Amino acid sequence: MGSQLDGEQGFPGKGVQRIHHSIRCTRVLPYKHTVAVYHQSKIMLGIQNARDQVTQRTFEILGSGSLMLASRTEELERLFEHEEEIILSSSPEETIEYARYYLKHPEERMRIGLKARKKILAEHTFERHLNRIWPFIYESFRGKRRETHDRISSFGASISINKA
């Protein structure tokens, strides 16, 4: 199984050979071309750098409808259902097994990719996340405005801050 791996500047050669001898990094992938690559790919490999975080690229891949085969992490297990929305692997050998299996089963691959896309669009858009955190941001700024007003008023000055 020969594969092409596109990566970021400085990525070539770092850990790639540990996955499998036939996988090699061939070029830098400019961000503006990522969506086209996601759509053209049968499987997107997502090597996770942190066990407790998920990168923006993970959400982009899953949102594209492509099947993502990723390193098993606590955070990915918490957010997505294994073999329903994402494929999670615990070892290089398991990664190869999953890749071979899903390359031979396009209907399953597409079902999982589309289910992940639906979840991303329903729960993980920038708009949804902003609406979820905005009340906390607003309260934080409102509290700072009050503190600033109180400090300035204590010096005998008066200010007016419009509430957004």
Side-chain angles (χ1 to χ4, degrees):
M1 175 172 70
S3 300
Q4 176 174 303
L5 182 65
D6 295 315
E8 297 176 1
Q9 199 74 25
F11 181 72
K14 292 185 182 176
V16 176
Q17 295 302 320
R18 286 186 296 139
I19 296 169
H20 196 265
H21 63 80
S22 64
I23 298 177
R24 65 194 193 298
C25 188
T26 59
R27 64 181 181 213
V28 173
L29 179 61
Y31 184 76
K32 65 182 178 180
H33 300 301
T34 57
V35 173
V37 170
Y38 300 159
H39 286 289
Q40 293 170 6
S41 300
K42 294 179 180 176
I43 299 173
M44 291 299 304
L45 184 62
I47 301 169
Q48 303 298 307
N49 296 326
R51 310 249 351 124
D52 61 346
Q53 299 174 15
V54 179
T55 65
Q56 178 179 329
R57 186 156 295 187
T58 299
F59 293 101
E60 292 169 355
I61 291 168
L62 293 172
S64 76
S66 293
L67 176 72
M68 183 171 189
L69 173 52
S71 310
R72 183 178 300 277
T73 68
E74 293 87 5
E75 193 63 7
L76 285 177
E77 287 180 316
R78 184 182 73 77
L79 292 171
F80 303 104
E81 191 175 342
H82 173 59
E83 295 185 341
E84 288 296 319
E85 300 161 333
I86 193 170
I87 304 302
L88 299 172
S89 173
S90 300
S91 70
E93 297 77 22
E94 190 176 38
T95 300
I96 297 299
E97 284 178 38
Y98 278 128
R100 287 184 176 142
Y101 176 84
Y102 286 104
L103 286 172
K104 292 177 183 175
H105 295 89
E107 298 85 12
E108 264 187 271
R109 187 176 68 231
M110 292 184 345
R111 178 188 61 79
I112 293 169
L114 290 175
K115 193 167 183 181
R117 177 177 165 74
K118 285 179 184 176
K119 182 169 191 166
I120 295 296
L121 294 176
E123 299 177 22
H124 296 289
T125 62
F126 283 117
E127 181 181 8
R128 284 230 182 250
H129 286 287
L130 185 58
N131 285 333
R132 185 175 50 82
I133 66 170
W134 185 252
F136 301 105
I137 295 170
Y138 178 77
E139 284 303 313
S140 175
F141 281 117
R142 197 170 103 183
K144 289 189 187 319
R145 287 183 196 165
R146 261 192 248 118
E147 290 171 15
T148 302
H149 182 272
D150 292 346
R151 267 184 299 195
I152 292 172
S153 293
S154 69
F155 290 109
S158 174
I159 63 168
S160 175
I161 300 175
N162 294 330
K163 293 182 179 178

